[in-house]
Amino acid sequence: MSKTRIAVFVSGGGTNLQALIDAAKRGEIPSGEIALVLASNDKAYALTRAAENNIPSVVVKRKEFETQLAYEEAVKAILAENSIDMIVLAGFMSILSENFTAAYPKRIVNVHPSLIPSFCGKGFYGLHVHEAALAYGVKVTGATVHYVNEIPDGGEIILQKAVEIEEGDTPEVLQRRVMEQAEWILLPKAVEMVAARLQKGQ
Ligand code: GAR
């Protein structure tokens, strides 16, 4: 049975991409292979991680297209050329509309750094999520891996893990703890679950 071909979409540091690469090397993603990294900007350190691991990569910038539709059609064409079966949004900061998400039902997963439905949706991304959790004063936060549909952070939840907030946490310290204790563990697990389902043609 051929492996599920996975494209990982990135915008920044790419530590979640690294967690996937490391898990794959340990044999923890037997049903899938990371076949492509797609970055929203050419400064993303995630591109260096892809190059170091001989994973093909491509940069597609939203601003180079006149419309959202033209941008999404260009991304779809790249995915088709690379026979991609499944998409992982790993710190991908560009918006994808229903035109795109509806083309890959239950084939796009996202990692979000909170326990959805808290601190999610429009405006909640990256460090802002942790700033909001600390400002609210919650004592527990975490991460969620979910399917992506047309509602921002609104798709079916696949896995979640809680992380304690500690006295004196800054957004940066909390972000790192949520990554270490939740995101980097959950994302490879969820990716294998989905890749295995798709490999079976389900
Ligand atoms: C991660 O914390 C990820 O959960 C978050 O951005 C960070 C990317 O880090 N994603 C979102 O906020 C999406 N709404 P990385 O580039 O090192 O993986």
Side-chain angles (χ1 to χ4, degrees):
M1 238 188 321
S2 57
K3 292 188 182 214
T4 298
R5 288 176 61 80
I6 302 166
V8 184
F9 286 19
V10 294
S11 296
T15 64
N16 280 287
L17 168 66
Q18 190 68 52
L20 289 171
I21 293 169
D22 294 345
K25 282 188 186 158
R26 292 192 301 266
E28 291 169 12
I29 311 183
S31 308
E33 71 177 290
I34 305 169
L36 184 69
V37 168
L38 185 142
S40 60
N41 71 84
D42 48 24
K43 307 273 185 305
Y45 185 69
L47 288 166
T48 304
R49 300 182 192 272
E52 282 171 0
N53 290 279
N54 301 315
I55 302 168
S57 64
V58 58
V59 178
V60 190
K61 297 181 189 169
R62 168 65 184 86
K63 62 174 189 248
E64 284 175 0
F65 297 86
E66 262 184 38
T67 63
Q68 180 71 15
L69 185 65
Y71 161 69
E72 291 179 0
E73 292 306 311
V75 174
K76 279 189 201 172
I78 291 167
L79 298 181
E81 276 163 30
N82 288 276
S83 307
I84 296 301
D85 306 303
M86 170 181 170
I87 299 155
V88 179
L89 307 184
F92 187 63
M93 301 303 174
S94 283
I95 286 167
L96 296 167
S97 81
E98 187 170 4
N99 161 66
F100 187 89
T101 59
Y104 305 94
K106 287 190 110 178
R107 286 172 179 268
I108 312 175
V109 304
N110 179 46
V111 57
H112 182 78
S114 76
L115 293 174
I116 291 175
S118 287
F119 311 115
C120 66
K122 205 166 179 279
F124 289 100
Y125 59 90
L127 216 47
H128 298 306
V129 179
H130 306 290
E131 285 165 359
L134 291 175
Y136 198 98
V138 292
K139 303 299 176 202
V140 174
T141 184
T144 303
V145 181
H146 62 93
Y147 286 112
V148 174
N149 64 11
E150 69 285 359
I151 304 159
D153 297 323
E156 186 188 325
I157 290 171
I158 303 168
L159 292 173
Q160 280 188 313
K161 191 167 187 286
V163 173
E164 301 265 336
I165 289 177
E166 292 176 14
E167 192 78 33
D169 270 352
T170 63
E172 291 80 7
V173 166
L174 181 57
Q175 179 181 53
R176 180 76 192 184
R177 188 179 314 116
V178 169
M179 285 175 159
E180 281 177 359
Q181 295 186 6
E183 295 186 51
W184 301 340
I185 299 163
L186 286 192
L187 187 61
K189 269 193 202 167
V191 165
E192 172 54 23
M193 285 164 63
V194 176
R197 173 177 62 74
L198 294 174
Q199 194 185 31
K200 288 184 210 131
Q202 292 170 352

